[in-house]
PDB file of all heavy atoms in Angstrom:
ATOM      1  N   LEU A  25       2.684   4.672   0.605  1.00 94.00           N
ATOM      2  CA  LEU A  25       2.927   5.508   1.762  1.00 94.00           C
ATOM      3  C   LEU A  25       2.503   6.941   1.467  1.00 94.00           C
ATOM      4  O   LEU A  25       2.593   7.404   0.333  1.00 94.00           O
ATOM      5  CB  LEU A  25       4.423   5.502   2.095  1.00 94.00           C
ATOM      6  CG  LEU A  25       5.071   4.166   2.395  1.00 94.00           C
ATOM      7  CD1 LEU A  25       6.580   4.322   2.459  1.00 94.00           C
ATOM      8  CD2 LEU A  25       4.539   3.600   3.689  1.00 94.00           C
ATOM      9  N   LYS A  26       2.087   7.649   2.496  1.00 97.00           N
ATOM     10  CA  LYS A  26       1.900   9.091   2.371  1.00 97.00           C
ATOM     11  C   LYS A  26       3.262   9.753   2.532  1.00 97.00           C
ATOM     12  O   LYS A  26       4.020   9.414   3.449  1.00 97.00           O
ATOM     13  CB  LYS A  26       0.942   9.613   3.441  1.00 97.00           C
ATOM     14  CG  LYS A  26      -0.513   9.244   3.202  1.00 97.00           C
ATOM     15  CD  LYS A  26      -1.405   9.935   4.225  1.00 97.00           C
ATOM     16  CE  LYS A  26      -2.865   9.654   3.942  1.00 97.00           C
ATOM     17  NZ  LYS A  26      -3.757  10.349   4.926  1.00 97.00           N
ATOM     18  N   VAL A  27       3.558  10.699   1.650  1.00 98.00           N
ATOM     19  CA  VAL A  27       4.882  11.310   1.622  1.00 98.00           C
ATOM     20  C   VAL A  27       4.794  12.796   1.950  1.00 98.00           C
ATOM     21  O   VAL A  27       3.931  13.514   1.436  1.00 98.00           O
ATOM     22  CB  VAL A  27       5.534  11.127   0.240  1.00 98.00           C
ATOM     23  CG1 VAL A  27       6.860  11.882   0.161  1.00 98.00           C
ATOM     24  CG2 VAL A  27       5.754   9.642  -0.054  1.00 98.00           C
ATOM     25  N   LYS A  28       5.715  13.223   2.787  1.00 98.00           N
ATOM     26  CA  LYS A  28       5.909  14.646   3.064  1.00 98.00           C
ATOM     27  C   LYS A  28       7.247  15.067   2.473  1.00 98.00           C
ATOM     28  O   LYS A  28       8.288  14.485   2.802  1.00 98.00           O
ATOM     29  CB  LYS A  28       5.898  14.911   4.568  1.00 98.00           C
ATOM     30  CG  LYS A  28       6.219  16.343   4.967  1.00 98.00           C
ATOM     31  CD  LYS A  28       6.000  16.527   6.473  1.00 98.00           C
ATOM     32  CE  LYS A  28       6.489  17.873   6.963  1.00 98.00           C
ATOM     33  NZ  LYS A  28       7.957  17.867   7.162  1.00 98.00           N
ATOM     34  N   ILE A  29       7.201  16.055   1.599  1.00 98.00           N
ATOM     35  CA  ILE A  29       8.426  16.639   1.061  1.00 98.00           C
ATOM     36  C   ILE A  29       8.683  17.916   1.853  1.00 98.00           C
ATOM     37  O   ILE A  29       7.868  18.842   1.828  1.00 98.00           O
ATOM     38  CB  ILE A  29       8.303  16.973  -0.444  1.00 98.00           C
ATOM     39  CG1 ILE A  29       7.880  15.736  -1.236  1.00 98.00           C
ATOM     40  CG2 ILE A  29       9.621  17.534  -0.970  1.00 98.00           C
ATOM     41  CD1 ILE A  29       8.887  14.625  -1.288  1.00 98.00           C
ATOM     42  N   LEU A  32      10.749  22.917   1.169  1.00 98.00           N
ATOM     43  CA  LEU A  32      10.481  23.477  -0.156  1.00 98.00           C
ATOM     44  C   LEU A  32      10.676  24.990  -0.135  1.00 98.00           C
ATOM     45  O   LEU A  32      10.246  25.665   0.801  1.00 98.00           O
ATOM     46  CB  LEU A  32       9.069  23.127  -0.601  1.00 98.00           C
ATOM     47  CG  LEU A  32       8.805  21.614  -0.748  1.00 98.00           C
ATOM     48  CD1 LEU A  32       7.318  21.336  -0.837  1.00 98.00           C
ATOM     49  CD2 LEU A  32       9.528  21.070  -1.959  1.00 98.00           C
ATOM     50  N   VAL A  38       7.610  23.148  -5.291  1.00 98.00           N
ATOM     51  CA  VAL A  38       6.244  22.902  -4.826  1.00 98.00           C
ATOM     52  C   VAL A  38       5.443  22.195  -5.916  1.00 98.00           C
ATOM     53  O   VAL A  38       4.752  21.196  -5.665  1.00 98.00           O
ATOM     54  CB  VAL A  38       5.561  24.224  -4.415  1.00 98.00           C
ATOM     55  CG1 VAL A  38       4.058  24.020  -4.220  1.00 98.00           C
ATOM     56  CG2 VAL A  38       6.184  24.764  -3.132  1.00 98.00           C
ATOM     57  N   ALA A  40       6.546  20.391  -8.355  1.00 98.00           N
ATOM     58  CA  ALA A  40       7.057  19.039  -8.548  1.00 98.00           C
ATOM     59  C   ALA A  40       6.514  18.094  -7.492  1.00 98.00           C
ATOM     60  O   ALA A  40       6.130  16.951  -7.794  1.00 98.00           O
ATOM     61  CB  ALA A  40       8.580  19.044  -8.531  1.00 98.00           C
ATOM     62  N   ALA A  41       6.479  18.547  -6.236  1.00 98.00           N
ATOM     63  CA  ALA A  41       5.981  17.705  -5.153  1.00 98.00           C
ATOM     64  C   ALA A  41       4.489  17.426  -5.308  1.00 98.00           C
ATOM     65  O   ALA A  41       4.028  16.296  -5.119  1.00 98.00           O
ATOM     66  CB  ALA A  41       6.268  18.365  -3.813  1.00 98.00           C
ATOM     67  N   VAL A  42       3.726  18.457  -5.655  1.00 98.00           N
ATOM     68  CA  VAL A  42       2.284  18.273  -5.845  1.00 98.00           C
ATOM     69  C   VAL A  42       2.016  17.337  -7.017  1.00 98.00           C
ATOM     70  O   VAL A  42       1.215  16.397  -6.924  1.00 98.00           O
ATOM     71  CB  VAL A  42       1.598  19.634  -6.066  1.00 98.00           C
ATOM     72  CG1 VAL A  42       0.145  19.441  -6.507  1.00 98.00           C
ATOM     73  CG2 VAL A  42       1.640  20.477  -4.791  1.00 98.00           C
ATOM     74  N   ASP A  43       2.683  17.580  -8.132  1.00 98.00           N
ATOM     75  CA  ASP A  43       2.460  16.770  -9.332  1.00 98.00           C
ATOM     76  C   ASP A  43       2.828  15.304  -9.107  1.00 98.00           C
ATOM     77  O   ASP A  43       2.202  14.402  -9.685  1.00 98.00           O
ATOM     78  CB  ASP A  43       3.270  17.328 -10.506  1.00 98.00           C
ATOM     79  CG  ASP A  43       2.762  18.672 -10.986  1.00 98.00           C
ATOM     80  OD1 ASP A  43       1.628  19.056 -10.612  1.00 98.00           O
ATOM     81  OD2 ASP A  43       3.506  19.348 -11.723  1.00 98.00           O
ATOM     82  N   ALA A  44       3.834  15.066  -8.272  1.00 98.00           N
ATOM     83  CA  ALA A  44       4.272  13.688  -8.012  1.00 98.00           C
ATOM     84  C   ALA A  44       3.361  12.961  -7.031  1.00 98.00           C
ATOM     85  O   ALA A  44       3.443  11.742  -6.901  1.00 98.00           O
ATOM     86  CB  ALA A  44       5.703  13.685  -7.485  1.00 98.00           C
ATOM     87  N   GLY A  45       2.522  13.710  -6.300  1.00 97.00           N
ATOM     88  CA  GLY A  45       1.569  13.079  -5.399  1.00 97.00           C
ATOM     89  C   GLY A  45       1.881  13.184  -3.923  1.00 97.00           C
ATOM     90  O   GLY A  45       1.362  12.383  -3.125  1.00 97.00           O
ATOM     91  N   ALA A  46       2.675  14.163  -3.520  1.00 98.00           N
ATOM     92  CA  ALA A  46       2.963  14.338  -2.097  1.00 98.00           C
ATOM     93  C   ALA A  46       1.680  14.663  -1.337  1.00 98.00           C
ATOM     94  O   ALA A  46       0.831  15.422  -1.824  1.00 98.00           O
ATOM     95  CB  ALA A  46       3.990  15.449  -1.895  1.00 98.00           C
ATOM     96  N   ALA A  47       1.558  14.108  -0.137  1.00 98.00           N
ATOM     97  CA  ALA A  47       0.404  14.387   0.708  1.00 98.00           C
ATOM     98  C   ALA A  47       0.619  15.593   1.602  1.00 98.00           C
ATOM     99  O   ALA A  47      -0.341  16.241   2.029  1.00 98.00           O
ATOM    100  CB  ALA A  47       0.085  13.170   1.574  1.00 98.00           C
ATOM    101  N   TYR A  48       1.888  15.897   1.894  1.00 98.00           N
ATOM    102  CA  TYR A  48       2.250  17.011   2.765  1.00 98.00           C
ATOM    103  C   TYR A  48       3.405  17.781   2.121  1.00 98.00           C
ATOM    104  O   TYR A  48       4.325  17.179   1.564  1.00 98.00           O
ATOM    105  CB  TYR A  48       2.745  16.534   4.131  1.00 98.00           C
ATOM    106  CG  TYR A  48       1.832  15.652   4.934  1.00 98.00           C
ATOM    107  CD1 TYR A  48       1.793  14.270   4.697  1.00 98.00           C
ATOM    108  CD2 TYR A  48       1.056  16.157   5.974  1.00 98.00           C
ATOM    109  CE1 TYR A  48       0.991  13.439   5.463  1.00 98.00           C
ATOM    110  CE2 TYR A  48       0.248  15.330   6.751  1.00 98.00           C
ATOM    111  CZ  TYR A  48       0.225  13.971   6.490  1.00 98.00           C
ATOM    112  OH  TYR A  48      -0.564  13.140   7.252  1.00 98.00           O
ATOM    113  N   LEU A  49       3.373  19.101   2.267  1.00 98.00           N
ATOM    114  CA  LEU A  49       4.480  19.951   1.847  1.00 98.00           C
ATOM    115  C   LEU A  49       4.989  20.694   3.069  1.00 98.00           C
ATOM    116  O   LEU A  49       4.198  21.300   3.806  1.00 98.00           O
ATOM    117  CB  LEU A  49       4.043  20.966   0.791  1.00 98.00           C
ATOM    118  CG  LEU A  49       3.353  20.423  -0.465  1.00 98.00           C
ATOM    119  CD1 LEU A  49       3.096  21.566  -1.444  1.00 98.00           C
ATOM    120  CD2 LEU A  49       4.171  19.330  -1.128  1.00 98.00           C
ATOM    121  N   GLY A  76      -6.370  19.751  -0.396  1.00 97.00           N
ATOM    122  CA  GLY A  76      -6.119  18.326  -0.232  1.00 97.00           C
ATOM    123  C   GLY A  76      -4.670  17.980   0.026  1.00 97.00           C
ATOM    124  O   GLY A  76      -4.363  16.839   0.381  1.00 97.00           O
ATOM    125  N   VAL A  77      -3.773  18.949  -0.160  1.00 98.00           N
ATOM    126  CA  VAL A  77      -2.364  18.757   0.166  1.00 98.00           C
ATOM    127  C   VAL A  77      -2.064  19.593   1.409  1.00 98.00           C
ATOM    128  O   VAL A  77      -2.253  20.804   1.403  1.00 98.00           O
ATOM    129  CB  VAL A  77      -1.451  19.169  -1.005  1.00 98.00           C
ATOM    130  CG1 VAL A  77       0.015  18.950  -0.634  1.00 98.00           C
ATOM    131  CG2 VAL A  77      -1.808  18.399  -2.262  1.00 98.00           C
ATOM    132  N   ALA A  78      -1.597  18.966   2.469  1.00 98.00           N
ATOM    133  CA  ALA A  78      -1.398  19.645   3.742  1.00 98.00           C
ATOM    134  C   ALA A  78      -0.122  20.485   3.728  1.00 98.00           C
ATOM    135  O   ALA A  78       0.938  20.015   3.307  1.00 98.00           O
ATOM    136  CB  ALA A  78      -1.337  18.636   4.883  1.00 98.00           C
ATOM    137  N   ILE A 225      12.385  13.900  -6.491  1.00 98.00           N
ATOM    138  CA  ILE A 225      11.077  13.913  -5.818  1.00 98.00           C
ATOM    139  C   ILE A 225      10.172  12.848  -6.426  1.00 98.00           C
ATOM    140  O   ILE A 225       9.533  12.057  -5.717  1.00 98.00           O
ATOM    141  CB  ILE A 225      10.433  15.308  -5.916  1.00 98.00           C
ATOM    142  CG1 ILE A 225      11.191  16.310  -5.044  1.00 98.00           C
ATOM    143  CG2 ILE A 225       8.955  15.244  -5.498  1.00 98.00           C
ATOM    144  CD1 ILE A 225      10.722  17.750  -5.203  1.00 98.00           C
ATOM    145  N   ILE A 229       8.695   9.406  -4.469  1.00 97.00           N
ATOM    146  CA  ILE A 229       7.270   9.121  -4.305  1.00 97.00           C
ATOM    147  C   ILE A 229       6.878   7.847  -5.049  1.00 97.00           C
ATOM    148  O   ILE A 229       6.050   7.057  -4.565  1.00 97.00           O
ATOM    149  CB  ILE A 229       6.439  10.338  -4.732  1.00 97.00           C
ATOM    150  CG1 ILE A 229       6.694  11.498  -3.738  1.00 97.00           C
ATOM    151  CG2 ILE A 229       4.950   9.997  -4.788  1.00 97.00           C
ATOM    152  CD1 ILE A 229       5.982  12.782  -4.058  1.00 97.00           C
TER     153      ILE A 229
END
Side-chain angles (χ1 to χ4, degrees):
L25 301 170
K26 287 186 176 181
V27 174
K28 175 173 172 280
I29 305 293
L32 298 165
V38 168
V42 170
D43 291 345
Y48 304 83
L49 306 185
V77 180
I225 290 173
I229 293 178

